[in-house]
Each structure stands twice: as C-alpha cells, then as structure tokens.
C-alpha cells in the first residue's frame, strides 16, 4: 500500500513551526510496511489544498493529512477533504458532547466556533481525541482512504498509536512487500565523517540497510530491514547491530529509540547510585536543564549553579582569585577548581563544570570564540578537557552541552572500568 503525507499549515511554510509530524508519520508508516514516495506541505488555502489532495489520491492508496482541524476560519482541512469527494458535513453528537465535556471539566468557556470541530463528513469514521478537542477522521471511497489528524504532536501521536496504527494494521494489504523494521544505534563523541569511514562496508548492504544521521554531538545509525514479518526483519537487523556495537564500543550509548543522551547519563548515575551537581558559565544552566528533562532525575540530581561572573565563581565554587588573575575565567585551571569546589560544596559524587567563550564577542587570538573548558569530578578524580566549537552563540552553547553529556558519561565509565566491585556500567 502506498501512503502520501500532507502537512497543512501556513506556519509550516513560513518556518515558524518545525514539521516534526511528517518525520514521525513517515517512520511509523514504514514500520507498518507502507511505502511513502511523497510528502507535501501546503498552506491554509482551500484551492491549493484541494489540488494537493487530488494529486495525492491519484498516486497513493492512502493520504494522511495533519493540521487544519481547529475551530478557526483558516482551519480548512476537513471541509476541503470532504469537498474533494463531494461530501456534506453534519454535526456529530458524540464529538460535540466530548468537546463540551472537555471545556466544562477544565472550567473554560466554550465559544460557538468550537462546535465546528464536531462537524464530520458524511460516511466518515470518527476517531476520538483524548488529548484535545479536534477528532480524527477516516474517509473511504472506491478503495482510496483519507485520514485526517490534528496538528499538535501531543494529540496526533497518541491518536495514531492508539487508533490509526491498529486500523492500518487490520487493512487488507496483499500488495505490501512485507514489514519494515528499524533499529537505531546511537553514538556520542564521534563526528559523522569518522563514523561513516568505519561503516563503508555495511553501507553497501542491500537488506538490511545502514544509514547515518548526524545530530548535535551525536551520530545515529539506522539499521533497516524488510521481511515478510517482524520476526524475520528483526533477525536480519540483529547481527548488524551487534557488529556496530563491536566497532564503536562504549561510544554506543543506546539502541533504544526513546533513550536520549541525557537519559543515558541519568540511567548511568542511577545504576551506580551516584549523585550529581553542575556548575556552568557560558551555557547558563543548559546542562542542568537537559538532565532535569529526564523523569526520575530527582534521585540523583542535587543542585545546579550558574556562575557567569568571576565573583560568582569565587563565591560559590571557591575558585581562587589568584587562579582567575593568572589564568583567566576561561582556563583549564578554573574549570578544575569549579568542578572540585562544587563537589566540596554539594557533597555530590559527580560534578561537572563548563566555562568558555560563546561569542559573538569576547574572543582573542589566544582565546578565540568557541573555546570552552570542561571539568568532570567523579568520586575524587577530576578530568579537564579543552574544546573548540564553531558557529553562532546558540550553536556553540548547544554543541557544548552535548559534548558535556558525552564527557560526563565517559568519565563515569572510565572510573568504574578501573574498579572491581561490580558497579553497573
């Protein structure tokens, strides 16, 4: 079965919102064995949207549209899709009751235009939205199907996983070549070119395939196999994943789709019953924020400091005035004293310091913009590392935080690799 994705919204065309829905749906559809050859973004214009839908229906069996199901006048997806198939809209009492309940339970006033979301094309199947007010819609005509989903990802994703994916799985699909299964090997601390130079032989494979994707401070290798069923596809993927783990060793931090680098670090701290504190200058708390994003981090995270000025570095972390006068705030000596001083102050097992020049000003020939020093204290041992990042201020800070997570993880692994008392790494 061939599927085509249409993302609706002028804000997507203007770049005001990143289109994460298309990436999510493409991956999910591939996992269901659906072939996707086209993805389109179209603005909130009924004429252009209708033309886009007609073109998609000519070349696909299934068209999934996202966005444009809201209560305002520029939400035109449902009306336009119904018009393409010459169907009238009628009020759906079930959907109207759910919308009214949604507002009532939250103590909100329901305006008249919200009733628009309960209008449903004749003959359509309504998909309840447990996280918002706009229901999903499934329409069918002469073997073709259109599925309309709300735009907000926190509504779209659970609706797709709980209702749409089971619906698609149950469809008759004799022409499908099988199931596609993917596994992602996530690597930190290595650049894309270096990673790719070590997998050229694997990239030549036909089934499964190996494809690299560069992320900030990471490289993800997606291993994808096509087979008659999921069991056989997993069987094809397994030895390739095993080989990648062998080649990249401890640089592989997970093969689980929902595990981020910060989650891997938090899991490592939890597994070894380690507490952590952070002290940051140029990153302004971004490292602490990444760690605190992870549920359960309260078990290990003690505190985070932002010591942007020299005075704060001295007062909070106990950095010596002589160190700052002689070597400067951006120096390995200062990074080391920041990490050790924070460990002394907070009694954390692991502390991490970041000090540097994010720009765009403040750089010199000796200490250019992008120069950052990081210190990592683990149970009495402190490592300091020098980094040189490029890009604008935001890019430098973002890249620095990813590098910090990688360094923290590596320092913990190295510490326990020297121990013999069975700690988990």
């Amino acid at each position: 079965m061939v599927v085509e994705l249409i993302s609706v919204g002028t804000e997507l065309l203007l770049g005001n919102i990143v289109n994460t829905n298309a990436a999510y749906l493409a991956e999910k559809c591939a996992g269901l064995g659906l072939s996707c050859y086209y993805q389109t973004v179209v603005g909130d214009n009924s004429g252009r949207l209708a033309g886009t839908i007609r073109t998609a229906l000519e070349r696909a069996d299934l068209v999934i549209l996202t966005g444009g199901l809201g209560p305002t006048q520029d939400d035109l997806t449902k009306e336009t899709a119904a018009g393409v198939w010459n169907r009238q809209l009628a009020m759906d009492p079930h959907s109207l009751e759910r919308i009214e309940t949604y507002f009532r339970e939250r103590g909100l006033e329901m305006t008249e235009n919200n009733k628009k979301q309960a209008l449903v094309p004749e003959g359509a199947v309504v998909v309840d939205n447990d996280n918002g007010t706009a229901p999903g819609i499934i329409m069918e005509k002469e073997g073709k199907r259109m599925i309309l989903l709300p735009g907000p990802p926190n509504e779209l994703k659970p609706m797709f996983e709980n209702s749409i994916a089971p619906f698609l799985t149950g469809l008759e699909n004799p022409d499908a070549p099988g199931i596609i299964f993917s596994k992602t090997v996530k690597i930190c601390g290595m650049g894309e070119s270096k990673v790719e130079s070590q997998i050229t032989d694997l990239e030549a494979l036909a089934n499964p395939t190996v494809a690299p994707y560069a992320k900030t401070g990471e490289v993800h290798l997606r291993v994808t196999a096509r087979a008659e069923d999921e069991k056989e596809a997993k069987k094809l993927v397994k030895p390739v994943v095993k080989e990648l783990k062998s080649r990249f060793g401890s640089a592989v931090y997970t093969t689980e789709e929902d595990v981020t680098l910060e989650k891997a670090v938090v899991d490592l701290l939890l597994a070894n019953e380690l507490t952590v504190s952070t002290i940051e200058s140029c990153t302004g708390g971004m490292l602490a924020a990444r760690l605190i994003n992870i549920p359960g981090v309260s078990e290990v995270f003690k505190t985070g400091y932002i010591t942007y000025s020299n005075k704060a570095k001295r007062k909070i972390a106990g950095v010596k005035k002589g160190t700052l006068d002689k070597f400067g705030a951006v120096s390995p000596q200062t990074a080391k004293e920041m990490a050790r001083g924070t460990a002394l102050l907070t009694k954390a097992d692991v502390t991490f310091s970041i000090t540097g020049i994010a720009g765009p000003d403040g750089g010199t020939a000796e200490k250019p913009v992008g120069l950052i020093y990081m210190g990592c204290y683990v149970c009495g041992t402190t490592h300091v590392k020098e980094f040189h990042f490029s890009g604008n201020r935001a890019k430098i800070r973002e890249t620095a935080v990813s590098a910090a997570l990688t360094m923290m993880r590596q320092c913990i692994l190295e510490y326990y690799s020297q121990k013999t008392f069975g700690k988990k790494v």
Side-chain angles (χ1 to χ4, degrees), residues 262-331:
E262 52 264 41
K263 178 168 171 44
V265 171
V266 171
D267 288 346
L268 187 61
L269 292 164
L270 286 166
N272 291 287
E273 300 178 357
L274 298 172
T275 56
V276 63
S277 292
T278 58
I279 181 164
E280 306 173 60
S281 180
C282 61
T283 49
M286 292 171 65
L287 174 59
R290 286 277 294 269
L291 292 171
I292 292 171
N293 278 340
I294 306 305
V297 74
S298 58
E299 296 293 323
V300 295
F301 190 87
K302 299 194 79 169
T303 192
Y305 298 109
I306 301 173
T307 55
Y308 207 71
S309 66
N310 285 0
K311 183 178 180 180
K313 291 179 178 66
R314 291 177 57 195
K315 183 177 180 180
I316 294 175
V319 177
K320 298 174 184 175
K321 184 177 183 301
T323 300
L324 294 167
D325 291 341
K326 183 176 181 180
F327 302 106
V330 181
S331 65

Side-chain angles (χ1 to χ4, degrees), residues 29-50:
C29 287
L32 293 170
L34 306 178
S35 299
C36 183
Y37 302 135
Y38 296 93
Q39 297 180 16
T40 306
V41 178
V42 60
D44 300 308
N45 179 280
S46 183
R48 287 190 286 272
L49 177 56

Side-chain angles (χ1 to χ4, degrees), residues 362-423:
T364 65
E366 295 77 20
K367 295 184 179 182
V369 169
L371 172 65
I372 293 180
Y373 290 97
M374 302 185 191
C376 186
Y377 168 97
V378 182
C379 301
T381 302
T382 307
H383 295 277
V384 177
K385 192 171 181 179
E386 178 180 313
F387 295 88
H388 291 267
F389 301 118
S390 60
N392 59 25
R393 182 178 178 85
K395 180 66 174 179
I396 288 172
R397 296 172 74 220
E398 182 184 359
T399 307
V401 173
S402 294
L405 290 166
T406 297
M407 181 177 168
M408 186 188 300
R409 175 178 175 271
Q410 194 60 40
C411 285
I412 296 171
L413 291 176
E414 289 178 359
Y415 177 80
Y416 282 119
S417 69
Q418 302 171 13
K419 303 296 179 181
T420 59
F421 45 81
K423 289 288 187 179

Side-chain angles (χ1 to χ4, degrees), residues 187 190 195-203 240-252:
I187 299 168
M190 298 180 69
V195 169
E196 190 167 22
S197 69
Q198 298 184 37
I199 62 167
T200 51
D201 57 325
L202 298 178
E203 287 183 297
V240 179
V241 171
K242 183 178 180 180
E243 176 62 22
L244 290 170
K245 286 182 175 180
S246 175
R247 293 188 187 188
F248 293 104
S250 63
V252 175

Side-chain angles (χ1 to χ4, degrees), residues 6-9 19 21 25 64-68 77 147-151 156:
I6 300 176
S7 305
V8 183
N19 187 12
N21 286 341
L25 289 173
I64 300 178
L65 297 100
T66 61
T77 300
I147 297 178
L148 284 56
L149 300 175
L156 178 146

Side-chain angles (χ1 to χ4, degrees), residues 43-80:
D44 300 308
N45 179 280
S46 183
R48 287 190 286 272
L49 177 56
T52 302
I53 293 174
R54 291 190 182 97
T55 299
L57 288 169
E58 289 176 0
R59 58 195 182 194
D61 308 296
L62 168 68
V63 179
I64 300 178
L65 297 100
T66 61
L69 299 182
T72 63
Q73 291 185 353
D74 63 350
D75 289 309
L76 302 167
T77 300
K78 184 168 48 183
E79 294 83 343
T80 306

